[in-house]
């Protein structure tokens, strides 16, 4: 894709923010996405919660029980025969989890949600709920390592075929779809290069072939991108990251229309990837501040990306809201912000890379993202340590590539730490 000629036009809103003026024809114009309106911040605090709670508690209580009881035989019949709502067993649902699901669905603009014990549990259970023996799926090649591993290895045991296509090659993806294809799976943004999937384009392909679309939107969050508004069928979130936001829980979610969600929920009850009530409580706590945190991380990450791009020790920076990024035009149209992750390649060798890591004092070395602390990871040493150098370089993972997950610290402190380490690496 050629480099964009300039920044998208901006118009000041009465709220003090900015809205992009689309130059696309009306028939192809993308849906408007949330851009940190007060309504999103308010819903992040209140959505899904009844105003009157147990013992007049302000926060949602932790219902820490594995089993729920019935008052009498009529209550059992009302539940089993007449469908009256009642909790039965912790693996089938929990009041604290139900409120977390309702809030997540509200923020994502989805009809329903199922929460899981991890993001990978959400992904694997969702995939298995949608396919059967003899089916075929299509997935892009820079999806998360474990997602790809599950699709190309474990699904074979169930006679489910998986075709992996190059990211951004929509022509190849289109041709990869067969009569037995069930869905298209991708991430946007992706890890670690932050590639952006054109959701409008993929919706057209999926609609033409009558297949489902699954988007892992963890890096974006519903603050920056809501794929359902673009016609995607299901959205997956690793709530461990930005939604909970404090690096203290594991959680995942799948969101979409009721029919699909209930099908996934049925399998979830058998698979058993149940999230515990205390994690749901912490997730609800994190959601209350997630718009504030993501807004800060958007702003800080863009400043860090611009600093790194101008630094003499940097070979290349990958950040979707930099004009140098190959998907800049899609990102600034489809997303409200570039997110909190910046990927960059430094000059030098693996020795310089290690020296850079060892000199950092503020940034923690760790493989996750989305929390309040700034984390940095070196894919060659951490995620792909079991690959040969040739295998890594084939994937574009050099010895000097880093992924920075910007926290909520003062951005100047983050930049100072990076600058000092880069100078020492030289």
């Amino acid at each position: 894709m050629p480099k964009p000629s300039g920044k998208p036009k901006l118009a000041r809103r009465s709220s003090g923010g900015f809205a992009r003026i689309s130059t696309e024809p009306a028939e192809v114009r993308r849906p408007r996405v949330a851009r940190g309106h007060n309504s999103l911040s308010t819903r992040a605090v209140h959505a899904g919660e009844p105003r009157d709670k147990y013992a007049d508690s302000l926060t949602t209580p932790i219902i820490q029980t594995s089993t729920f009881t019935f008052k009498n035989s009529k209550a059992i019949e009302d539940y089993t025969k007449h469908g009256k709502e009642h909790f039965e067993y912790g693996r089938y649902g929990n009041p604290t989890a139900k409120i977390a699901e309702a809030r997540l669905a509200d923020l994502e603009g989805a009809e329903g949600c199922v929460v899981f014990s991890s993001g990978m549990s959400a992904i694997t259970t969702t995939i298995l709920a949608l396919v059967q023996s003899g089916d075929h799926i299509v997935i892009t090649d820079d999806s998360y390592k474990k997602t790809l591993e599950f699709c190309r290895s474990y699904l074979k045991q169930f006679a489910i075929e998986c075709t992996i296509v190059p990211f951004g090659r929509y022509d190849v993806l289109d041709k990869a779809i067969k009569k037995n294809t069930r869905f298209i799976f991708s991430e946007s943004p992706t890890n670690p290069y932050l590639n952006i999937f054109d959701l409008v384009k993929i919706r057209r392909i999926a609609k033409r072939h009558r297949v489902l679309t699954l988007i892992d939107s963890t890096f974006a969050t519903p603050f920056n991108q809501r794929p359902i508004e673009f016609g995607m069928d299901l959205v997956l979130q690793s709530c461990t990251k930005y939604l909970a936001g404090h690096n203290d829980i594991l959680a995942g979610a799948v969101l979409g229309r009721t029919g699909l969600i209930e099908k996934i929920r049925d399998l979830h009850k058998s698979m058993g990837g149940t999230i515990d009530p205390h994690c749901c409580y912490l997730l609800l706590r994190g959601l209350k501040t997630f718009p504030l945190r993501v807004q800060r991380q958007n702003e800080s990450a863009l400043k860090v990306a611009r600093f790194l791009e101008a630094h003499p020790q940097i070979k290349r920076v990958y950040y979707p809201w930099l004009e140098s990024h190959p998907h800049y035009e899609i990102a600034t149209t489809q997303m409200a912000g570039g997110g909190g992750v910046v990927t960059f390649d430094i000059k030098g060798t693996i020795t310089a890379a290690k020296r850079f890591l060892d000199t950092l004092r503020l940034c923690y070395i760790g493989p996750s993202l989305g929390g309040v602390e700034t984390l940095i990871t070196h894919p060659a040493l951490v995620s792909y340590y079991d690959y040969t150098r040739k295998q890594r370089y084939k994937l574009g993972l050099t010895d000097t590539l880093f992924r920075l997950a910007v926290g909520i610290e003062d951005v100047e402190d983050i930049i100072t730490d990076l600058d000092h380490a880069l100078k020492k690496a030289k």
Side-chain angles (χ1 to χ4, degrees), residues 343-380:
T343 300
F344 57 96
D345 208 337
I346 71 170
K347 295 178 180 178
T349 63
I350 187 69
T351 302
K354 291 177 179 178
R355 190 181 303 123
F356 169 72
L357 273 182
D358 295 342
T359 308
L360 292 168
R361 291 295 174 263
L362 174 64
C363 306
Y364 283 93
I365 303 171
S368 193
L369 59 129
V372 294
E373 301 90 357
T374 296
L375 294 175
I376 191 166
T377 188
H378 184 263

Side-chain angles (χ1 to χ4, degrees), residues 118-134:
S118 70
M120 275 309 301
S121 179
I123 289 171
T124 55
T125 305
T126 296
I127 290 173
L128 290 174
L130 298 178
V131 294
Q132 57 186 2
S133 181

Side-chain angles (χ1 to χ4, degrees), residues 139-157:
I139 184 171
T140 55
D141 63 353
D142 64 348
S143 296
Y144 177 51
K145 178 184 177 184
K146 289 297 181 182
T147 304
L148 283 169
E149 183 181 302
F150 176 79
C151 290
R152 66 184 165 205
S153 299
Y154 295 101
L155 289 183
K156 288 182 180 179
Q157 301 176 30

Side-chain angles (χ1 to χ4, degrees), residues 51-102:
R51 188 167 181 84
D52 298 324
K53 306 178 188 71
Y54 176 76
D56 296 322
S57 170
L58 177 62
T59 59
T60 296
I62 303 171
I63 309 300
Q64 193 68 50
T65 184
S66 62
T67 306
F68 300 86
T69 60
F70 294 89
K71 292 182 179 179
N72 48 44
S73 59
K74 183 179 183 304
I76 299 174
E77 291 177 341
D78 285 344
Y79 170 61
T80 58
K81 294 183 180 180
H82 307 299
K84 186 176 179 180
E85 185 174 319
H86 192 288
F87 292 98
E88 176 187 353
Y89 186 64
R91 182 157 44 83
Y92 302 154
N94 174 282
T96 313
K98 182 181 178 182
I99 291 173
E101 289 175 343

Side-chain angles (χ1 to χ4, degrees), residues 20 22 24 26-35 198-200 203 224-232 332-336:
R20 282 180 169 69
S22 176
E24 295 181 286
E27 65 271 16
V28 299
R29 192 170 298 157
R30 292 169 169 81
R32 181 176 295 175
V33 295
R35 302 188 189 280
D198 190 322
L199 299 181
V200 171
R203 178 188 63 190
N224 283 330
Q225 173 182 273
R226 294 208 295 264
I228 289 171
E229 292 185 358
F230 291 82
M232 301 298 103
T332 52
T333 303
Q334 191 168 281
M335 298 174 67

Side-chain angles (χ1 to χ4, degrees), residues 40-41 43-45 47 99-101 103-104 107 222 239 242-246 280-293:
L40 182 70
S41 297
R43 293 185 348 253
V45 176
I99 291 173
E101 289 175 343
R103 182 170 300 171
L104 288 167
L107 295 173
C239 304
Y242 292 98
L243 298 178
H246 291 79
C280 288
Y281 172 85
L282 292 174
L283 173 57
L284 285 165
R285 183 200 63 179
L287 284 171
K288 292 183 179 183
T289 60
F290 115 83
L292 299 172
R293 289 184 282 101

Side-chain angles (χ1 to χ4, degrees), residues 403-417:
R403 189 193 71 192
L404 183 77
V406 177
I408 64 169
E409 303 96 338
D410 188 293
V411 67
E412 295 303 325
D413 291 334
I414 299 171
I415 288 173
T416 297
D417 193 37

